[in-house]
Amino acid sequence: MDSKNNSFNERCYELLKLVPKGKVTTYREIAKALHTNAWRAVGNAMAKNKSLFVIPCHRVVRSNGSLGQYALGADKKSELLIKEGVIVTNGRVKDLGKFIHRFST
DNA sequence: GGCGTGACCCCAT
DNA sequence: TATGGGGCCACGC
């Protein structure tokens, strides 16, 4: 489980699972947590994610406050975030820095 | 073993 | 504030 044999994309899922409800994270933060600048690969991992019903992919948003894409649709993503307690307006997070969750202090 | 793609990010104007 | 252009990494074929 805590093995380091997991692929890069699986590590993204693990970090994502660490995000509590009512909070969100950014692709940039995940990449940083992995000590890499592969935000591209992170998004790619979500796009190919097979654990859509196991990983809260809807809690991942872009660094500029936009929600980004979602397997079920960006519209559904915003709905879920709002239900989680995140303030979303016009498809964008109102106070990203307030809901952002960082894996590092 | 190499190329293209992608749920992106940052900077300058 | 919005828009355009360039660049980064991992995965699949």
Side-chain angles (χ1 to χ4, degrees), chain A residues 6-20:
Chain A
N6 289 348
S7 295
F8 182 87
N9 68 13
E10 291 206 11
R11 295 187 201 187
C12 300
Y13 305 144
E14 291 297 306
L15 291 171
L16 193 49
K17 287 197 284 193
L18 298 177
V19 180

Side-chain angles (χ1 to χ4, degrees), chain A residues 1-3 15 19 30 36 39 50-51 57 59 62 66 68 72 76 80-81 94-97 99 104:
Chain A
M1 303 206 280
D2 52 312
S3 304
L15 291 171
V19 180
I30 294 172
T36 180
W39 359 272
K50 296 190 154 180
S51 311
C57 328
R59 285 184 194 158
R62 303 207 323 198
S66 249
L72 304 182
K76 191 73 175 180
L80 290 168
L81 288 173
K94 177 74 169 134
D95 293 306
L96 183 59
F99 296 103
S104 257

Side-chain angles (χ1 to χ4, degrees), chain A residues 66-81:
Chain A
S66 249
L67 299 181
Q69 280 296 3
Y70 185 51
L72 304 182
D75 181 61
K76 191 73 175 180
K77 186 170 181 175
S78 61
E79 286 285 311
L80 290 168
L81 288 173

Side-chain angles (χ1 to χ4, degrees), chain A residues 44-58:
Chain A
N44 212 1
M46 296 296 141
K48 295 174 182 157
N49 91 74
K50 296 190 154 180
S51 311
L52 175 61
F53 298 98
V54 184
I55 312 285
C57 328
H58 63 272

